[in-house]
DNA sequence: CGCACACTTGAAGTGCCTCAATAAGTGTGG
DNA sequence: CCACACTTATTGAGGCACTTCAAGTGTGCG
C-alpha cells in the first residue's frame, strides 16, 4: 500500500544527478545503504535530512568501546537538528536500515525557517518531540527495570510509527538487533535476550523475523509507565506536512512514502 | 564581589509591584524560596524564566514514587524552553535553592525571538546546550559506573558554572543533597554516599558543607569520559548576553548578579 | 556450501539495591 | 540559647538484577 504526499512546484525543473538523486534549490532525494554513516564526530555537516523511509540512530562511543544510542530517527524525523548549531556533528549517526531521505542544505533550511512560519513550527515541534523522548529515555535508564525499559521502548516505537489499532494491538517493523536494543536501554545484549524471552513467555509481545507485535497495548503501557499521546501532546511527527513544506521549495517530484503497517 | 550587567532602557518607567518585583512589558524580576515549585505537570505556563541566581531542577515522578531528574537549571539558563510548545508543563520544576529570575511572558518572549535575531540565536543555542547535556546524561545512566556518573556530573557543573581555574582546580557551590544526586545519576542515596566516600578517599574530590572542590580536573575528566568545552562548542551559557537582551525590552533596572566562585 | 552475524544458553561473579538503624546537621519556636 | 523536629548523611548486613565469560545454535546471503 502506498500513499503520495506533497505537491510538485516545478517537476520539470528538477534535475537528475549522476547517482539518480534529484537536486534543485538545495534539496535532493538521497538514498543510503544500511550501516552507512550519515555523520561522524567532527564532520562538518552541510545539510540535514528529512527521513522518508528507514531508520537511523545517533550514538556516543566511549574510548573503551562502550556505546550508548542517544536518539532514534524514524520516517518523518529531521536528522539531525543538532547539526544546525555550528554545523558540526558531535556524535555518530548511522543508518540502521536502507534509507531514503530529503537532503536539505543547511542554508536552504535556515532560509525556509526564516520565511515560512509553517516550517518554523514544524521544526520547533520536532525539536520538542525529541527532547520529550529523551527525557523518557533518561527515566528508563535511570529508574526503570530491564522489562520496563524494553516495554517502554516498544510502546514508543509503535506510537511513533503510528501503528496501534483500535483493538489495542500494536505492530511494527523491528529492524533493531538485540545489540541495538541493548545500546538503547543501557543493558547487555545477553540480558536483553533473556528479558525478551521473559516478555514472550508472559505473553506480552511477539517478536521474530524483524516483526514486533504488542499483544495488549494497555497492559504493556502500564508496565512501562508509558505516557501515551492520548493524554499528552502527541509523540508522533507529521511526515506529510514536513514533506509538503520542503518539497514545495525543492521543485522535487512528489515522493512516494511506503505504506506503514499502521494501516494493516 | 558583584558584577552589573545590562543597560536600562527606561528605569523610571519601571513599576514596583506589591511583592517588590518590577513589571513592565511582560518582563519582571521574580524571587522564589528554595523547594518552591516553578511548575507542576499539567500547569498552563504563561511565562518562562531566565535564571539569574540559584538552581532549579526538572523531574519526572513515576506513580510508584521513583524520581528521575531530567535537567538542572543554573544561572543564565532559560527555564523551561519546553513550555514554549503548547505552554503546558509536563514535568515538575522545583527550586533547589532560593532563586532570582527574570520572568518573561511567553507572548513577549516569542515576539522578541521573532524580531531580534540576537535573541533567537541565544535561545536556539540554549536549547542546543540542553540537548547536548541530556545526551551526556543518557550516556551516564546507560553506560557509566557510579564513580564515573558522579565524576561526570561534577565536571559538568563546574564547567557550566565556569569555575575551573588555570591551575586545574575546580570549585563550585553544591546545593544538591545526596538524594538529589541519586535522582540525577539513577542511583540510590545510599550508594551515592558510599561512592562519594570512595572518591574522597582516593583524593579526587572534597565535598563538605555545600562546597565542592575537584582537586585534579584533568584526572577527573579522564575518569568521567568528560567532553570538555575546550575541544567542543562550549557547555556554558551566556548570562550577560541573555540579560542584556531581555532587560532591554523590559525597562527593568540593571540586575546585580552575584559574583561566582569562579572568580575566587 | 560456508562464512558472518545474530541469537541463545549456562555458570559464576559483582555492582548496586534494600532494609534498618544511628549520627550529624539545620531550621524553628519558646 | 536551648530543645525539638525534621531532613540529610553515614554505616552494616544481606540479597538480587544485571554482567561477564564462554560455548553453542540458528539463519541469511554470496
Amino acid at each position: 500500500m502506498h500513499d503520495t504526499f506533497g505537491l510538485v512546484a516545478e517537476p520539470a525543473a528538477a534535475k537528475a544527478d549522476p547517482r539518480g538523486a534529484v537536486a534543485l534549490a538545495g534539496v535532493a532525494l538521497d538514498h543510503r545503504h544500511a550501516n552507512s554513516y550519515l555523520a561522524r564526530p567532527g564532520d562538518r555537516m552541510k545539510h540535514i535530512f528529512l527521513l522518508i523511509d528507514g531508520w537511523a540512530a545517533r550514538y556516543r562511543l566511549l574510548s573503551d568501546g562502550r556505546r550508548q544510542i542517544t536518539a532514534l530517527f524514524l520516517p518523518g524525523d529531521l536528522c539531525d537538528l543538532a547539526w544546525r548549531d555550528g554545523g558540526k556533528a558531535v556524535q555518530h549517526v548511522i543508518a540502521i536500515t536502507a534509507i531514503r531521505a530529503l537532503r536539505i542544505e543547511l542554508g536552504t533550511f535556515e532560509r525556509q525557517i526564516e520565511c515560512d512560519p509553517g516550517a518554523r513550527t514544524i521544526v520547533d515541534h520536532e525539536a520538542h518531540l525529541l527532547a520529550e523522548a529523551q527525557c523518557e529515555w533518561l527515566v528508563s535508564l535511570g529508574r526503570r527495570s530491564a522489562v520496563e525499559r524494553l516495554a517502554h521502548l516498544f510502546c514508543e516505537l509503535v506510537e511513533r510509527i503510528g501503528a496501534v489499532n483500535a483493538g489495542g494491538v500494536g505492530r511494527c517493523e523491528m529492524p533493531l538487533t538485540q545489540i541495538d536494543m541493548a545500546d538503547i536501554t543501557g543493558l547487555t545484549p545477553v540480558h536483553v535476550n533473556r528479558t525478551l524471552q521473559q516478555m514472550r513467555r508472559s505473553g506480552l509481545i511477539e517478536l521474530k523475523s524483524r516483526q514486533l507485535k504488542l499483544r495488549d497495548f494497555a497492559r504493556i503501557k502500564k508496565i512501562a509507565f508509558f505516557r501515551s499521546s492520548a493524554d499528552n501532546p502527541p509523540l508522533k511527527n507529521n511526515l506529510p506536512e514536513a514533506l509538503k513544506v520542503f518539497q514545495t521549495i525543492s521543485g522535487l517530484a512528489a515522493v512516494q512514502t511506503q505504506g506503514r503497517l499502521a494501516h494493516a
Side-chain angles (χ1 to χ4, degrees), chain A residues 94-128:
Chain A
I94 197 173
I96 289 179
T97 67
I99 275 180
R100 228 159 31 116
L102 236 47
R103 187 181 65 231
I104 309 166
E105 301 296 321
L106 270 176
T108 307
F109 187 80
E110 296 300 337
R111 216 174 307 122
Q112 187 66 11
I113 287 176
E114 208 67 47
C115 307
D116 179 353
R120 149 115 271 140
T121 303
I122 286 182
V123 170
D124 279 356
H125 189 61
E126 258 286 304
H128 184 246

Side-chain angles (χ1 to χ4, degrees), chain A residues 8-230:
Chain A
V8 185
E10 300 281 0
K15 195 178 61 181
D17 83 3
R19 294 172 42 217
V22 192
L24 190 80
V27 181
L29 189 58
D30 205 342
H31 296 253
R32 301 294 179 102
H33 293 301
N35 299 318
S36 64
Y37 285 98
L38 304 187
R40 290 175 210 249
D43 284 359
R44 292 215 71 81
M45 306 309 295
K46 291 195 284 292
H47 45 258
I48 216 170
F49 296 105
L50 172 59
L51 256 190
I52 296 168
D53 297 308
W55 294 22
R58 183 179 65 193
Y59 61 88
R60 262 279 269 135
L61 203 55
L62 300 188
S63 53
D64 65 352
R66 281 178 275 180
R67 185 175 83 140
Q68 176 67 44
I69 293 179
T70 57
L72 277 180
F73 299 106
L74 270 45
D77 289 340
L78 287 164
C79 164
D80 181 353
L81 287 173
W83 300 339
R84 286 184 64 205
D85 193 287
K88 200 153 126 217
V90 173
Q91 296 182 54
H92 298 262
V93 178
I94 197 173
I96 289 179
T97 67
I99 275 180
R100 228 159 31 116
L102 236 47
R103 187 181 65 231
I104 309 166
E105 301 296 321
L106 270 176
T108 307
F109 187 80
E110 296 300 337
R111 216 174 307 122
Q112 187 66 11
I113 287 176
E114 208 67 47
C115 307
D116 179 353
R120 149 115 271 140
T121 303
I122 286 182
V123 170
D124 279 356
H125 189 61
E126 258 286 304
H128 184 246
L129 288 182
L130 185 74
E132 287 255 305
Q134 269 187 7
C135 281
E136 279 308 312
W137 284 26
L138 284 173
V139 178
S140 278
L141 294 172
R143 292 303 184 207
R144 283 192 257 250
S145 69
V147 173
E148 290 165 357
R149 290 182 205 189
L150 285 168
H152 192 279
L153 173 63
F154 295 155
C155 286
E156 180 194 330
L157 292 177
V158 169
E159 283 235 337
R160 281 173 68 182
I161 297 279
V164 186
N165 71 17
V169 175
R171 280 176 223 268
C172 73
E173 291 280 333
M174 176 45 76
L176 302 174
T177 67
Q178 293 182 0
I179 294 175
D180 295 328
M181 296 183 215
D183 287 336
I184 291 169
T185 56
L187 302 167
T188 56
V190 171
H191 197 61
V192 166
N193 182 288
R194 292 195 235 264
T195 306
L196 286 176
Q197 288 178 53
Q198 180 190 332
M199 292 172 81
R200 278 192 273 247
R201 259 183 275 120
S202 61
L204 267 182
I205 63 168
E206 289 171 26
L207 174 57
K208 63 178 172 195
S209 53
R210 313 273 98 130
Q211 284 287 327
L212 173 68
K213 177 174 168 188
L214 308 187
R215 302 184 56 183
D216 183 348
F217 194 60
R219 185 154 78 100
I220 299 179
K221 266 169 56 174
K222 191 161 295 177
I223 288 172
F225 294 87
F226 184 74
R227 305 167 63 91
S228 182
S229 54

